[in-house]
Amino acid sequence: MPELPEVETVARQLDNVLRNKKIIKIKVLREVSFKGEKKSLLGRVVRSVSRVAKMLVISFTRGDEVLVVHLKMTGQLVWRADDWNQEKMKQEVVGGHPTVDWMGDLPSKHTRVIISFRDGSRLFFNDLRVFGWMRVMKKLEWQKINAGLPLDVIDREFSLVYFENVLKRSKRAIKLVLMDQQKIGGLGNIYVNDALFKAGVDPRRPSNDLRKNEIKKLYKAIRDVITLGIKYGGATYSNFVAASGLGGLYQEHFLVYGKEGEKCKRCGNKIKKIMIGGRGSYYCKKCQS
DNA sequence: TGATATGTTATCTT
DNA sequence: CAAGATAACATATC
């Protein structure tokens, strides 16, 4: 369930290990998972790995292409050095949706793409539900997509005023607006549920109905939740995954997400679950209005 | 067996 | 036409 904090963490770590590595082979085990011409990337040297919205972007020192990766719900990236083995688990970077896949030998049942580098290391793209993708894009094409993206919640320019304007322009449920990647970049179901709880706002409230002080509270809550996510999400993706390292610490810090029937951390009331836009939404009836 | 699932988008329906 | 609602994508798990 990679949301912004997860993707950010993976990007940072992959940037460290993939820099200056030369691609010598790309093996696609599932056609739909890789779009574009893979030949065009052979021989390319990685310049950097970064994050844009919930996407990872791998750029190269030469050529006119970038490789864009979207993990969607169940994608994960695992990079392993040439001499990796289960006992030592030496050089490894993993990130994305936590499954047992990244513990054992790869490729696994869910491996969709393998990118091999000249130094013998490999990058595995695993994706259980095959919603995610890797896509070779021309720089121009990528720039166009970039230009159309909204600000990220952790963007420096993502101001209270900007946020307020976004919310005012819609009367849909506030939760849907927050999750709408065309309007605000980076928030997924988990963090939205938690941010709304923290701000004391009912997820069903019409977006343009929020009062100024509520918008302010929500703005701050989003920042807090995402910052915390990066802090703990970072622990999910370590260079050296121990046997106990499966899954991330951030899960232990959820406020309401997935806690139907459990006690509200603030008032002790039971957390309710409802469906909004076909997605599970968790909230406390007493604390959120 | 059937319901449900983290993200995004295409396609309907207002 | 635009905004909003909903189905669809492929597969595993409970």
Side-chain angles (χ1 to χ4, degrees), chain A residues 245-261:
Chain A
L246 182 62
L249 285 178
Y250 67 95
Q251 300 173 27
E252 293 160 24
H253 296 268
F254 289 172
L255 297 171
V256 288
Y257 180 81
K259 296 197 184 296
E260 183 184 16

Side-chain angles (χ1 to χ4, degrees), chain A residues 90-145:
Chain A
K90 287 165 108 183
Q91 290 267 293
E92 177 172 68
V93 167
V94 298
H97 184 68
T99 73
V100 289
D101 272 35
W102 63 36
M103 307 299 296
D105 289 333
L106 288 173
S108 74
K109 194 167 140 191
H110 300 126
T111 302
R112 311 302 182 200
V113 182
I114 306 169
I115 298 179
S116 305
F117 299 94
R118 171 122 79 190
D119 67 350
S121 65
R122 288 180 296 173
L123 181 67
F124 298 88
F125 173 41
N126 303 331
D127 187 15
L128 189 151
R129 281 168 71 185
V130 206
F131 287 0
W133 40 257
M134 287 184 145
R135 192 191 305 242
V136 181
M137 281 187 206
K138 294 281 180 197
K139 282 179 182 167
L140 185 64
E141 188 187 350
W142 175 237
Q143 274 165 20
K144 276 184 190 163
I145 291 174

Side-chain angles (χ1 to χ4, degrees), chain A residues 146-159:
Chain A
N146 255 292
L149 289 174
L151 289 180
D152 270 359
V153 285
I154 56 167
D155 206 304
R156 265 178 231 93
E157 292 165 54
F158 185 76
S159 65

Side-chain angles (χ1 to χ4, degrees), chain A residues 220-289:
Chain A
K220 190 173 180 306
I222 288 170
R223 293 251 163 161
D224 288 352
V225 166
I226 289 289
T227 308
L228 202 71
I230 291 177
K231 191 174 159 194
Y232 291 108
T236 313
Y237 314 107
S238 92
N239 282 355
F240 307 94
V241 177
S244 60
L246 182 62
L249 285 178
Y250 67 95
Q251 300 173 27
E252 293 160 24
H253 296 268
F254 289 172
L255 297 171
V256 288
Y257 180 81
K259 296 197 184 296
E260 183 184 16
E262 289 182 37
K263 281 184 182 171
C264 165
K265 294 195 173 187
R266 187 178 292 154
C267 73
N269 232 25
K270 276 194 176 170
I271 299 295
K272 278 193 67 175
K273 180 187 182 183
I274 53 170
M275 298 301 270
I276 299 178
R279 298 292 182 238
S281 307
Y282 305 83
Y283 75 111
C284 172
K285 216 173 167 181
K286 218 165 168 181
C287 295
Q288 294 170 260
S289 56

